[in-house]
Amino acid sequence: MELDLENPLSNFHHFCPATTAPSLFPVESDHMAAQNYIDSLGTGDLHVSLRREAISSISQFSCKLGPFSSYLAINYLDRFLSSRGMLVLQQSKTWVLRLVSISCVSLAAKMTKTEFSLTDFQGDRGLIFDAQTVERMEYLILGALKWRMRSITPFAFVSFFISLFKLKEAPVIQAIKARAVELIFKAQIDTNFLEFKPSIIAASALLSACHELFPLQFPSFRRAISSCSCVNKENMIKCYNSMQEIDMVSSSNTPANALDRHVSSSGSEISTAGATTVTSVTQRDIKRRKVNDYGTIIKWSTSLRSKSEVLIHGPL
């Protein structure tokens, strides 16, 4: 059955016809990288560079599959390396890491039922792996992940948190969701976000999007998410601040490689015309600041203030 990242377990078990986001909170940690792997990335520049190289390969291999397949493949990569694949990061042979990367992409394509061929994946990029070699690596990855391939990612929680905002205007919902998804893609590349649960990343991305697009309504958005008992407020503040930092850095740089272009284009693929308009205005006008608590609000521009009042009629 095809995997939908927004509803990863829906209709998967015959005894569970509809899986809702609240039921995913207790098991989301099972779909995260192990702590020892996260610690190794925090202390070794070599491991970070190798991970970056693997992600770049995944981006190249999955460029024709769409951003969500790429996201799923990177999730498999991190979970595999944190389970039994740390030896891969210690290999001097780069082809091993390349094989892992293409196998993760292949598995992601199969899970999302995306048509592909290994020839299309590998193109003219040097060493070509045959189907049997990739299949053997796929089985190693499947074993390391304990066959939990229906990954619970931040996308599974986005609609749930948005529903807490009690919004009625479709353009507003689309604008917030599109911007949050864009931030989630950016966060996956940064190793600092591996420590946060998918739900925390989703909540932080939505808060950041709301803060950026509709600052007048931000206190209401913040109270809505903070009211959720499944959200660790301290971790969310930490994740939110980190997300603000990477967004400011990435917004000031021109995409320099295939991975950046792939992530940058994902927002435009899912945005509506209204969402794109709001986002373009925001990037030009907003001056963001890091906040250490939810009592401090970032500065907003006069022009964006008037636009948010037009889109949202009255306080939420």
Side-chain angles (χ1 to χ4, degrees):
M1 181 173 292
E2 182 179 353
L3 170 62
D4 177 2
L5 289 184
E6 291 192 14
N7 301 283
L9 303 182
S10 291
N11 301 320
F12 180 54
H13 302 297
H14 67 278
F15 54 85
C16 185
T19 304
T20 58
S23 66
L24 299 180
F25 284 105
V27 295
E28 60 177 325
S29 296
D30 294 336
H31 301 260
M32 296 174 58
Q35 189 60 48
N36 65 328
Y37 170 70
I38 298 173
D39 293 340
S40 72
L41 292 174
T43 58
D45 292 336
L46 176 60
H47 289 176
V48 172
S49 64
L50 289 175
R51 178 182 184 265
R52 187 181 300 116
E53 179 182 342
I55 291 178
S56 181
S57 294
I58 286 176
S59 178
Q60 293 172 0
F61 292 141
S62 62
C63 62
K64 297 180 181 179
L65 303 181
F68 290 102
S69 294
S70 177
Y71 192 98
L72 185 60
I74 295 174
N75 173 269
Y76 292 161
L77 172 75
D78 283 323
R79 289 167 58 199
F80 171 68
L81 294 179
S82 69
S83 178
R84 292 201 305 235
M86 286 302 294
L87 290 176
V88 174
L89 293 180
Q90 299 170 5
Q91 293 280 346
S92 59
K93 300 176 181 178
T94 57
W95 67 265
V96 177
L97 196 61
R98 186 178 177 85
L99 175 59
V100 171
S101 299
I102 195 171
S103 299
C104 287
V105 172
S106 177
L107 286 170
K110 292 175 181 177
M111 289 301 299
T112 55
K113 292 193 178 299
T114 305
E115 293 187 6
F116 71 96
S117 70
L118 290 177
T119 302
D120 291 340
F121 275 1
Q122 300 180 82
D124 300 324
R125 300 185 182 96
L127 183 63
I128 303 296
F129 299 107
D130 59 52
Q132 287 186 330
T133 301
V134 173
E135 185 176 331
R136 284 195 294 269
M137 179 55 72
E138 286 180 355
Y139 275 108
L140 286 176
I141 295 172
L142 288 168
L145 272 57
K146 300 179 180 179
W147 292 79
R148 292 173 177 156
M149 309 307 290
R150 307 184 72 84
S151 297
I152 299 175
T153 68
F155 303 111
F157 299 93
V158 171
S159 294
F160 167 73
F161 286 128
I162 288 181
S163 70
L164 302 179
F165 298 162
K166 306 298 182 182
L167 295 171
K168 297 180 180 180
E169 296 82 358
V172 173
I173 296 174
Q174 290 296 331
I176 293 174
K177 183 176 181 179
R179 183 59 179 144
V181 167
E182 186 178 356
L183 291 171
I184 290 171
F185 279 118
K186 291 181 179 180
Q188 189 186 36
I189 312 305
D190 194 317
T191 57
N192 292 325
F193 289 90
L194 289 172
E195 66 175 290
F196 298 113
K197 293 181 177 180
S199 60
I200 293 295
I201 294 175
S204 301
L206 282 168
L207 277 181
S208 186
C210 293
H211 213 171
E212 177 181 311
L213 298 176
F214 307 109
L216 286 177
Q217 311 302 325
F218 179 77
S220 296
F221 295 141
R222 176 257 300 168
R223 285 193 297 270
I225 289 185
S226 297
S227 67
C228 181
S229 60
C230 297
V231 174
N232 183 299
K233 311 304 185 297
E234 183 178 348
N235 285 344
M236 185 166 64
I237 294 172
K238 183 179 178 182
C239 183
Y240 172 84
N241 287 333
S242 296
M243 195 162 290
Q244 291 284 290
E245 291 176 355
I246 66 162
D247 189 42
M248 285 188 287
V249 170
S250 61
S251 297
S252 63
N253 294 330
T254 302
N257 53 45
L259 175 61
D260 291 332
R261 288 193 295 272
H262 188 54
V263 174
S264 297
S265 65
S266 63
S268 61
E269 292 179 15
I270 62 173
S271 299
T272 63
T276 303
T277 300
V278 175
T279 302
S280 63
V281 170
T282 303
Q283 291 175 340
R284 185 171 63 249
D285 294 338
I286 291 272
K287 292 182 179 179
R288 293 183 293 269
R289 290 180 180 177
K290 186 169 99 170
V291 295
N292 293 320
D293 57 66
Y294 290 130
T296 304
I297 306 298
I298 5 178
K299 286 185 176 181
W300 56 81
S301 66
T302 303
S303 61
L304 183 62
R305 185 184 312 172
S306 61
K307 289 179 177 61
S308 64
E309 290 173 344
V310 171
L311 284 172
I312 304 181
H313 305 291
L316 297 177

